[in-house]
Amino acid sequence: MSKKFEEYSQLHLNECAREISEYWKRNDIFNKSISSRQGKSHYVFYDGPPSANGLPGIHHVMARTIKDVFCRYHTLKGEQVYRKAGWDTHGLPIELGVEKELNIIKEDIGKKISVDEYNKACRASVMRYTDIWKELTDKIGYWVDQENPYITYDSKYIETLWWILKQFYLKGLLYKGYTIQPYSPAAGTGLSTHELNMPGAYKEITDTTITVQFKARKESLPEFLKNLPGEVYFLAWTTTPWTLSSNTALTIGDSIEYTVVQTFNPYTFEPVYVILAKSLVQKVFSEGFSPVSNKISLESFKKEDKKIPYRALQSFYGSDILGSRYEQLLPWVLPYENAENAFQIISGAFVTTEEGTGIVHTAPTFGVDDAIVAKRHNVPPMLLWDVQKKQAVPLVDTQGRFIKEVPEPFSGRYVRNEYYKDKAPERSVDVELAILLKSIGRAFKVEKYKHSYPHCWRTDKPILYYPLDSWFIRTTAAKADMVSLNNSIHWIPESTGKNRFGHWLENLNDWNLSRSRYWGVPLPIWRTEDEQEELIIGSLAELITEIEKSVRAGLMKKNPFGAFVPGDMSWENYKAIDLHKPIVDDILLISPTGKSMKRESDLIDVWFDSGAMPFAQWHYPFENKEKIDQGKFYSADFIAEGVDQTRGWFYTLHAISSMLFQSVAYKNVLSNGLVLDKNGQKMSKSKGNAINPFKILELYGPDATRWYMISNAQPWENIKFDISGIDEVRRKFFGTLYNTYAFFALYANIDGFCYKEAFVEVAQRSELDRWILSELHQLIKKVRNHYDAYDPTRATRAIADFVINDLSNWYVRLCRRRFWKGDYTQDKIAAYQTLYDVLFSVSLLSAPVAPFFSERLYMDLTCVTEKEAFESVHLAYFPEFDEKLIDEPLERRMHIAQRLSSMVFSLRKKENIKVRQPLKQLMILASSSEEEKSVCAMFDLIKQEVNVKEIHFLTSDTAGELLTRELRPNFKKLGPKFGKHMLFVSHVLSHFSQEQIRQFEKQGIFTLKVQGSQKVISLQEVDISIRKVKGWSIDTHEGLTVALDINIDEKLRYEGIARELVNRVQNLRKAQGLEVTDKIKLSISASLEVEKAIKLNKEYICEDTLSASLSLNTYINEAEEIDFEGETIRVSVQKLAYG
RNA sequence: AGUCUCGUAGCUCAGUUGGUUAGAGCGCUACACUGAUAAUGUAGAGGUCCGCGGUUCAAAUCCGCGCGAGACUACCA
């Protein structure tokens, strides 16, 4: 006996996924999907490492689905797709988590808890949830190698990072410098941008602002300013007056227009000339000033006058005063270096004329932009040399107080009142300074100003921007490379790469690598105390050689890595050592001149960890050298992460790769949007709208979840996650596909179809078969293109549309009788083969997105026919597009037939005539003879579908007077021809009478006068449609018109009754649980009228209901009473024992 | 604050190089169809295509300015 197709009572996507998952595990399908492609071209994929100390969320399901879709697709295309999972194990989120758990703060590390213990706690915490992550990964069917993941804290991984850093060092890309970083004086610690971007960090505060007069050194000014008869001042505005003592430059915009204004200081009434941006004169001189136009009214000013007069003199560009000098505003101290370069006018791109004066007070020790622009112009920051600390210090200490070198009354005071722990003085430093500057005639304006300012999330006090020592990668040196390499990357969507990422690259700053934390990769640089000698370590072998030197010189007692054997690449060897703090901090090395060298205490930015994964995941170049050098696993063909990674992982991958090998790290990158809740709000635990992915998977299974996420919105757009959408996908797409299979299985099993018969040539098959195959191959082409273009959304929509509309709702519905009626003929075999082939192809097309259900479908189909040698759909090959099966005229015909049918249904509805009631004839008016011909071929189909006996054509002529035509201008064609007279032409054409239209149709052209000249309009330039036919029930749509003869004669009426009866009997059969093939004995008791209908159609009724006998008007014992055609009839269905 | 993305029916989304009656699905109402159907068909209700200007004979579509949502980057004095 041949095998049967599996039949199911119901669709259980969840159960299906569980079984398939088991099957994959049992048969090692994932590994086979890679090994079976041995020797084929590689499709290289990099998986971004998640941090395993947090629980996975629904957005991870999204991200992992996208990754999985393309890896599976390319496997199906025959490529070999390795994919290694990874874990991000270092960094601040992990440290913060541990601190919270242990209930400690950063300052406690090294005191309450040793660094060693702290790091052990981090290491333990970081892999805590790996089991849950693995479970999710399995459940959603994300195929990735979880057995051999790369883990950023592994010694091998760190060794590669050190090697890369050394390469950068040798290229001169690594340097130590100071930068301005967010700093919390109250907490005594620097803050990361991550901490700064925590919700609520930015708050509105009100500051005292001063518009300050900086007195120009006249000899340094250009001629036209030099010759002014009084003192000239630059006006600059500041929101942080306490930084004025650290001012070393003023920044202007090169191309901004400035002007010099003659006026009086509003506090001292001294006559002054002030320079500011021309467009801001009105704003700065808004209150208490009035413009005057001549010298005399200006010079006659007395301080009793209500308004201070001002007069703008000559204007000029910023570049004209570039390099001019000014007197130090608060001459308390001088910078210890290059003081001669201080106090000059420099230019910066960040200067705007939206606020202030267009001249920016620049204090390089306390502003990020200030430091950058000052450095570019070689202007020194205000730093003093501290003899005790042997280092340069700014005028404010790490507590936030002015240092002792600052004169009274400011010395020792906190720069912001918020920093006082107890009672703050009545007047803040800012206010005191404002008073001081007013008294010496250097304050031009003092105002309160409200703006948003970042606060420390721990102390809730405003942060300070403060210079801190850091190690940098000179990414700016590789900017040109990075920009041009980026142009070769295919970004999806394009705008992320071109705009967001492109602009970011254009405005690149050097990469600050330093993190003064505990749990991370230590910077492998050792330095002597005088900073004259330094050594960078690029491998463990190198480190051990250096340690041994140091031990010999007596600097260290013993080698802490004594157990390590250089050159032995085994995991055991590498597991024996730990390269984290505090162990590496205890290592002292010896410099070439015999001095002791200590490690630079910083850790490196965790983004460097993940950005180096193309190399570090393979322990390059210590192992797997050929994988990278021969380009087998580098660069990636594809990566995908959230759009928030643009400046994160996408950037660090790109930067490291560009600088190391002048190559891209990835060729195609998809940045996916966010998963929002159904109201478009971001999901967060605090809002309580976060969705537990396990719950969703439990409810709907992975396939529906994946399909919903992919098909609902394009991956790069945000998705509003609504679980009712998943349910809809399950019902509509999976439900329909399942039902189609169930239908196939039911009848294939009855007929014993198992694809043993010879392949029926497609040309020999029926119209419907050829049509669905043609549509299928159009689908294959579309789906391939969409997957290839990284647009899975369009692929899934096309598949669902095909399955629901073309396959289930049209092909199967119209073919039903072919399957359950008649003998096992060639036509029936062709139908089975067609449906089988279509379902088979659909299983493959859907496999990347719905891996479990597709597997079930594929296996249920193939295990009976044994036509495929593969154990899994994921080991098979993607369907090829076959041009020869495309029959576009047939597709058009079928489309017309569908439209016609739907029009007839509409008419029946209008006339209240059931589809079961046969009608005599249908008339069709086609707009062209070509159309007419194609409809002809569809007659049988349409007759069956809409239940009419005959179809005739109505020609324009025969229809004659019946038709009312409507003429509409074709704007696309006529628009360019008539231009602005279009409105007139449109008016004329749409007011044509029936007679005029007929004339036009006959003659083919119409002439009209436009602006005195004769213009000709042809029939091709208008659309004529038909409105109605007198005395007929008619409908018209897309140029097709149908008319339905709604007269029902007696014969038709009886036939309708018979069909109605068949339907009732079928329902009874089903209700009684009869098999489709069971034969019955049918008995009916009804009125004479119904009996007559039955008698006339007895053969038909018996055939369709599988009735061996039909008896009428007999006394029936156990019968169903049915409301039927306005009466109650009694029907009995009895199963026959044989048959 | 800047940069980028988005804004079409109650909801989720289509809408080609600009062409005059803006579509589909879900949901709602009514009726039908069905021996594969948690499916489907027909009809109805449902729109200021975010707003305002501009370009054009013609704008949901192109341009400008706003408004709103989101992301990223940030004390631009």
Side-chain angles (χ1 to χ4, degrees):
Chain A
M1 194 181 115
S2 64
K3 276 190 187 168
K4 294 273 185 195
F5 289 99
E6 196 66 40
E7 291 183 54
Y8 304 89
S9 60
Q10 233 189 335
L11 170 65
H12 289 296
L13 283 173
N14 236 334
E15 212 170 279
C16 158
R18 262 195 299 277
E19 285 165 18
I20 296 297
S21 181
E22 273 304 305
Y23 174 79
W24 288 344
K25 249 179 245 161
R26 218 168 38 240
N27 296 286
D28 202 20
I29 302 294
F30 171 47
N31 285 322
K32 284 179 187 164
S33 82
I34 296 166
S35 60
S36 67
R37 266 63 175 170
Q38 193 63 44
K40 301 287 164 48
S41 67
H42 282 210
Y43 180 75
V44 182
F45 167 74
Y46 295 157
D47 194 10
S51 179
N53 82 319
L55 286 168
I58 195 78
H59 55 289
H60 293 109
V61 176
M62 179 79 200
R64 298 188 151 220
T65 299
I66 291 167
K67 295 174 184 183
D68 194 51
V69 165
F70 294 104
C71 288
R72 283 185 193 263
Y73 172 62
H74 282 269
T75 301
L76 289 173
K77 290 221 308 187
E79 292 159 86
Q80 192 174 31
V81 191
Y82 277 100
R83 51 266 218 205
K84 207 174 172 63
W87 298 108
D88 192 10
T89 56
H90 289 140
L92 199 68
I94 289 143
E95 292 200 38
L96 293 178
V98 166
E99 284 165 33
K100 200 172 164 194
E101 232 166 79
L102 302 176
N103 198 22
I104 56 169
I105 59 168
K106 192 191 174 195
E107 285 62 37
D108 296 333
I109 303 163
K111 293 172 194 162
K112 283 190 190 168
I113 179 173
S114 74
V115 173
D116 191 33
E117 286 166 333
Y118 177 78
N119 275 359
K120 283 208 171 92
C122 287
R123 185 189 286 261
S125 131
V126 76
M127 300 301 268
R128 171 172 316 152
Y129 297 122
T130 45
D131 285 350
I132 295 178
W133 277 86
K134 277 185 186 162
E135 191 191 337
L136 183 82
T137 305
D138 284 342
K139 278 204 166 145
I140 62 173
Y142 176 42
W143 270 359
V144 64
D145 182 359
Q146 303 194 84
E147 303 307 313
N148 311 290
Y150 63 92
I151 301 173
T152 58
Y153 69 46
D154 274 337
S155 303
K156 283 190 178 184
Y157 199 92
I158 294 175
E159 190 177 25
T160 298
L161 299 187
W162 283 5
W163 177 83
I164 295 171
L165 285 170
K166 181 155 186 176
Q167 303 310 304
F168 288 169
Y169 183 86
L170 295 175
K171 290 183 183 188
L173 294 171
L174 218 55
Y175 68 93
K176 189 176 190 178
Y178 82 87
T179 56
I180 312 305
Q181 289 165 37
Y183 178 81
S184 171
T189 173
L191 297 172
S192 66
T193 46
H194 168 90
E195 288 166 297
L196 225 55
N197 278 323
M198 305 218 323
Y202 281 82
K203 292 182 195 177
E204 288 277 308
I205 56 167
T206 305
D207 273 326
T208 301
T209 69
I210 313 179
T211 304
V212 184
Q213 288 175 221
F214 287 87
K215 187 175 178 186
R217 289 187 187 278
K218 285 187 85 175
E219 73 278 7
S220 69
L221 293 174
E223 287 302 312
F224 63 92
L225 293 171
K226 209 184 265 179
N227 298 332
L228 291 169
E231 292 296 349
V232 178
Y233 296 91
F234 298 105
L235 283 189
W237 179 62
T238 180
T239 56
T240 51
W242 62 267
T243 61
L244 286 169
S245 54
S246 296
N247 171 283
T248 54
L250 293 173
T251 308
I252 49 93
D254 275 330
S255 50
I256 294 174
E257 204 178 0
Y258 292 87
T259 187
V260 57
V261 176
Q262 187 182 2
T263 186
F264 299 85
N265 179 292
Y267 302 109
T268 63
F269 307 109
E270 264 178 278
V272 290
Y273 292 92
V274 295
I275 294 171
L276 70 161
K278 195 176 179 186
S279 60
L280 286 162
V281 170
Q282 279 215 322
K283 209 168 162 186
V284 172
F285 289 87
S286 55
E287 276 170 50
F289 290 89
S290 68
V292 296
S293 53
N294 60 60
K295 218 174 156 182
I296 297 147
S297 50
L298 199 90
E299 281 167 359
S300 64
F301 168 70
K302 296 184 295 296
K303 62 178 167 181
E304 293 78 28
D305 293 353
K306 270 188 190 155
K307 296 261 182 183
I308 300 170
Y310 73 95
R311 180 173 162 237
L313 307 174
Q314 189 167 1
S315 52
F316 50 91
Y317 285 101
S319 49
D320 294 333
I321 49 169
L322 207 59
S324 294
R325 301 292 177 129
Y326 61 91
E327 288 179 11
Q328 188 178 10
L329 182 74
L330 300 165
W332 300 343
V333 287
L334 284 173
Y336 82 109
E337 272 184 330
N338 298 329
E340 66 282 4
N341 283 340
F343 317 122
Q344 58 165 313
I345 308 289
I346 58 179
S347 70
F350 60 87
V351 180
T352 67
T353 55
E354 271 158 35
E355 270 178 321
T357 62
I359 301 176
V360 177
H361 148 60
T362 305
T365 42
F366 300 114
V368 179
D369 281 336
D370 308 40
I372 294 166
V373 74
K375 195 173 179 188
R376 194 176 300 146
H377 290 86
N378 204 22
V379 167
M382 184 61 81
L383 291 170
L384 303 183
W385 187 257
D386 186 315
V387 186
Q388 278 178 354
K389 290 187 189 159
K390 291 186 202 158
Q391 65 180 41
V393 294
L395 297 188
V396 175
D397 67 16
T398 52
Q399 307 289 302
R401 289 177 306 209
F402 275 125
I403 59 174
K404 61 180 192 301
E405 283 81 356
V406 172
E408 291 296 334
F410 301 103
S411 184
R413 288 193 54 179
Y414 285 102
V415 297
R416 302 196 76 107
N417 263 8
E418 291 93 334
Y419 297 156
Y420 285 94
K421 289 192 183 75
D422 313 319
K423 204 172 178 305
E426 197 179 322
R427 289 179 185 151
S428 68
V429 165
D430 287 348
V431 174
E432 299 259 16
L433 270 167
I435 295 168
L436 171 70
L437 292 176
K438 277 183 192 171
S439 70
I440 60 172
R442 293 301 178 81
F444 194 79
K445 218 174 183 184
V446 176
E447 284 175 316
K448 294 284 179 198
Y449 181 73
K450 235 176 145 180
H451 61 148
S452 86
Y453 193 87
H455 289 64
C456 170
W457 60 281
R458 280 205 191 116
T459 62
D460 214 26
K461 293 189 172 181
I463 59 121
L464 210 59
Y465 282 77
Y466 199 81
L468 297 171
D469 262 337
S470 295
W471 281 88
F472 288 87
I473 298 179
R474 207 181 300 280
T475 36
T476 46
K479 189 165 133 177
D481 273 352
M482 285 167 68
V483 169
S484 74
L485 284 170
N486 183 45
N487 290 334
S488 70
I489 296 173
H490 177 213
W491 282 84
I492 306 124
E494 196 193 354
S495 68
T496 303
K498 215 161 115 190
N499 300 329
R500 191 184 278 215
F501 195 59
H503 290 169
W504 162 260
L505 288 180
E506 301 283 345
N507 301 307
L508 207 60
N509 290 326
D510 283 347
W511 182 354
N512 184 352
L513 258 191
S514 292
R515 294 293 181 272
S516 47
R517 301 289 314 191
Y518 297 93
W519 175 239
V521 176
L523 200 60
I525 298 174
W526 273 258
R527 273 189 159 193
T528 56
E529 200 172 11
D530 62 8
E531 303 187 353
Q532 294 308 301
E533 293 173 84
E534 66 187 20
L535 181 67
I536 180 160
I537 298 295
S539 70
L540 275 169
E542 201 180 335
L543 180 60
I544 281 166
T545 309
E546 292 300 326
I547 291 175
E548 279 165 359
K549 270 194 221 165
S550 170
V551 172
R552 277 199 299 277
L555 277 177
M556 292 175 72
K557 287 198 183 100
K558 68 177 192 87
N559 179 0
F561 298 151
F564 184 79
V565 184
D568 175 0
M569 295 297 162
S570 71
W571 277 110
E572 292 69 34
N573 192 32
Y574 273 82
K575 285 241 163 76
I577 54 168
D578 182 1
L579 300 178
H580 288 88
K581 271 164 154 316
I583 299 146
V584 282
D585 288 346
D586 295 337
I587 296 171
L588 296 175
L589 299 182
I590 184 154
S591 78
T593 63
K595 285 184 201 154
S596 164
M597 293 194 292
K598 267 186 81 176
R599 196 186 72 80
E600 289 286 290
S601 64
D602 289 332
L603 303 179
I604 63 168
D605 183 5
V606 284
W607 286 111
F608 193 92
D609 294 11
S610 52
M613 64 69 65
F615 315 103
Q617 69 171 336
W618 298 116
H619 195 207
Y620 180 85
F622 306 101
E623 293 178 74
N624 299 310
K625 202 162 181 308
E626 74 295 342
K627 285 196 162 80
I628 304 292
D629 293 346
Q630 296 173 10
K632 283 182 192 161
F633 289 90
Y634 174 82
S635 312
D637 287 295
F638 173 59
I639 62 171
E641 301 291 334
V643 68
D644 50 330
Q645 293 294 334
T646 308
R647 279 142 183 177
W649 195 52
F650 294 158
Y651 169 63
T652 57
L653 277 174
H654 187 65
I656 292 173
S657 198
S658 300
M659 288 187 290
L660 200 57
F661 288 133
Q662 283 77 49
S663 162
V664 297
Y666 43 86
K667 296 167 195 162
N668 299 286
V669 48
L670 195 158
S671 68
N672 58 271
L674 298 153
V675 181
L676 308 169
D677 76 3
K678 64 175 180 179
N679 300 316
Q681 297 293 306
K682 203 179 170 181
M683 287 189 193
S684 69
K685 275 180 204 150
S686 57
K687 274 186 202 151
N689 60 351
I691 287 177
N692 178 348
F694 289 98
K695 259 190 198 158
I696 298 293
L697 292 172
E698 198 56 48
L699 269 171
Y700 298 104
D703 288 314
T705 308
R706 289 169 60 125
W707 194 277
Y708 164 71
M709 289 184 133
I710 293 295
S711 63
N712 185 60
Q714 273 157 328
W716 48 89
E717 295 199 42
N718 295 345
I719 179 172
K720 289 181 195 163
F721 193 88
D722 185 358
I723 55 168
S724 62
I726 308 179
D727 197 44
E728 189 180 323
V729 162
R730 195 206 50 172
R731 271 189 357 247
K732 298 203 62 169
F733 175 65
F734 290 101
T736 308
L737 184 53
Y738 155 80
N739 279 323
T740 308
Y741 166 78
F743 172 83
F744 167 81
L746 177 66
Y747 292 103
N749 285 341
I750 290 170
D751 282 321
F753 171 80
C754 47
Y755 225 131
K756 287 284 183 301
E757 299 80 8
F759 182 79
V760 181
E761 286 307 317
V762 173
Q764 310 291 310
R765 301 192 193 188
S766 72
E767 288 258 304
L768 270 165
D769 290 344
R770 281 186 287 114
W771 171 76
I772 195 72
L773 288 172
S774 179
E775 291 287 356
L776 174 70
H777 279 265
Q778 297 280 21
L779 178 74
I780 290 170
K781 189 179 177 185
K782 260 188 263 176
V783 167
R784 283 190 95 107
N785 287 341
H786 291 322
Y787 278 139
D788 284 336
Y790 293 94
D791 187 349
T793 305
R794 285 206 159 89
T796 48
R797 286 177 183 175
I799 296 168
D801 193 53
F802 172 83
V803 166
I804 295 166
N805 294 328
D806 294 341
L807 181 60
S808 169
N809 199 33
W810 193 252
Y811 177 78
V812 172
R813 198 155 53 87
L814 294 191
C815 284
R816 248 178 338 215
R817 281 182 162 259
R818 288 170 74 198
F819 290 99
W820 54 262
K821 271 197 96 168
D823 300 328
Y824 197 53
T825 58
Q826 189 75 353
D827 176 64
K828 202 166 185 178
I829 293 166
Y832 280 126
Q833 289 186 355
T834 304
L835 186 51
Y836 176 95
D837 287 346
V838 172
L839 285 170
F840 173 79
S841 295
V842 168
S843 80
L844 276 151
L845 295 174
S846 316
V849 182
F852 299 95
F853 183 80
S854 301
E855 184 76 292
R856 170 99 284 158
L857 180 58
Y858 176 89
M859 291 205 299
D860 284 344
L861 289 169
T862 56
C863 77
V864 173
T865 61
E866 289 167 1
K867 278 180 76 70
E868 292 269 314
F870 309 108
E871 285 181 87
S872 161
V873 69
H874 303 289
L875 301 178
Y877 291 89
F878 210 70
E880 295 289 338
F881 167 66
D882 186 352
E883 180 95 57
K884 291 193 297 292
L885 293 178
I886 300 295
D887 185 344
E888 274 170 355
L890 172 57
E891 287 173 23
R892 274 198 297 277
R893 291 205 286 283
M894 196 61 81
H895 180 69
I896 290 169
Q898 287 172 331
R899 258 165 44 212
L900 282 171
S901 304
S902 113
M903 280 154 69
V904 173
F905 287 138
S906 170
L907 290 178
R908 279 179 170 273
K909 166 70 193 157
K910 223 176 269 168
E911 301 298 333
N912 223 351
I913 303 168
K914 293 181 179 183
V915 179
R916 255 186 236 115
Q917 174 61 59
L919 289 173
K920 190 161 167 253
Q921 61 175 343
L922 172 68
M923 310 288 263
I924 298 172
L925 175 61
S927 54
S928 67
S929 60
E930 201 184 328
E931 204 165 42
E932 210 166 275
K933 227 189 274 166
S934 36
V935 183
C936 239
M938 295 286 121
F939 272 7
D940 285 344
L941 230 152
I942 298 166
K943 280 189 212 162
Q944 181 198 328
E945 178 68 4
V946 306
N947 199 13
V948 299
K949 298 289 173 194
E950 293 164 30
I951 299 179
H952 300 292
F953 279 113
L954 211 54
T955 61
S956 253
D957 292 338
T958 56
E961 308 275 316
L962 292 174
L963 303 173
T964 307
R965 290 163 172 77
E966 189 183 59
L967 184 145
R968 290 164 49 78
N970 185 324
F971 283 87
K972 201 166 181 172
K973 286 177 182 154
L974 290 172
K977 191 164 162 185
F978 287 101
K980 63 175 88 127
H981 305 295
M982 194 53 221
L983 215 65
F984 167 72
V985 175
S986 157
H987 182 83
V988 171
L989 289 177
S990 29
H991 284 81
F992 265 31
S993 68
Q994 289 298 313
E995 183 52 35
Q996 279 174 303
I997 296 174
R998 219 163 294 148
Q999 280 292 318
F1000 188 3
E1001 274 189 309
K1002 238 177 242 165
Q1003 290 168 3
I1005 54 160
F1006 173 72
T1007 323
L1008 85 168
K1009 223 181 217 173
V1010 178
Q1011 286 246 307
S1013 61
Q1014 296 283 327
K1015 296 273 185 182
V1016 175
I1017 297 172
S1018 74
L1019 267 182
Q1020 283 77 50
E1021 290 168 320
V1022 297
D1023 299 320
I1024 293 173
S1025 57
I1026 285 133
R1027 292 308 295 265
K1028 60 177 173 227
V1029 184
K1030 280 178 200 157
W1032 285 70
S1033 189
I1034 89 118
D1035 192 10
T1036 177
H1037 189 67
E1038 286 182 48
L1040 268 176
T1041 302
V1042 296
L1044 191 61
D1045 185 346
I1046 53 173
N1047 295 308
I1048 301 169
D1049 62 23
E1050 200 170 60
K1051 185 166 175 284
L1052 288 172
R1053 197 165 66 78
Y1054 287 138
E1055 202 179 320
I1057 292 171
R1059 290 186 72 137
E1060 193 70 32
L1061 185 75
V1062 167
N1063 169 251
R1064 302 308 173 94
V1065 175
Q1066 303 288 34
N1067 288 344
L1068 281 177
R1069 288 182 55 117
K1070 200 178 186 181
Q1072 290 182 18
L1074 268 63
E1075 290 296 319
V1076 179
T1077 45
D1078 287 337
K1079 297 229 161 85
I1080 55 162
K1081 176 172 175 251
L1082 185 60
S1083 314
I1084 299 168
S1085 161
S1087 69
L1088 285 173
E1089 180 77 354
V1090 172
E1091 266 189 17
K1092 191 170 175 193
I1094 294 172
K1095 279 178 192 150
L1096 280 169
N1097 297 283
K1098 189 171 176 183
E1099 201 179 325
Y1100 156 74
I1101 295 169
C1102 289
E1103 198 179 331
D1104 266 35
T1105 58
L1106 294 187
S1107 300
S1109 67
L1110 198 173
S1111 47
L1112 282 172
N1113 233 350
T1114 48
Y1115 176 75
I1116 314 166
N1117 243 347
E1118 287 173 26
E1120 295 284 335
E1121 294 202 342
I1122 300 173
D1123 288 332
F1124 188 80
E1125 299 282 306
E1127 58 179 284
T1128 303
I1129 65 168
R1130 293 165 59 81
V1131 180
S1132 151
V1133 170
Q1134 272 182 293
K1135 186 183 164 183
L1136 292 179
Y1138 59 92

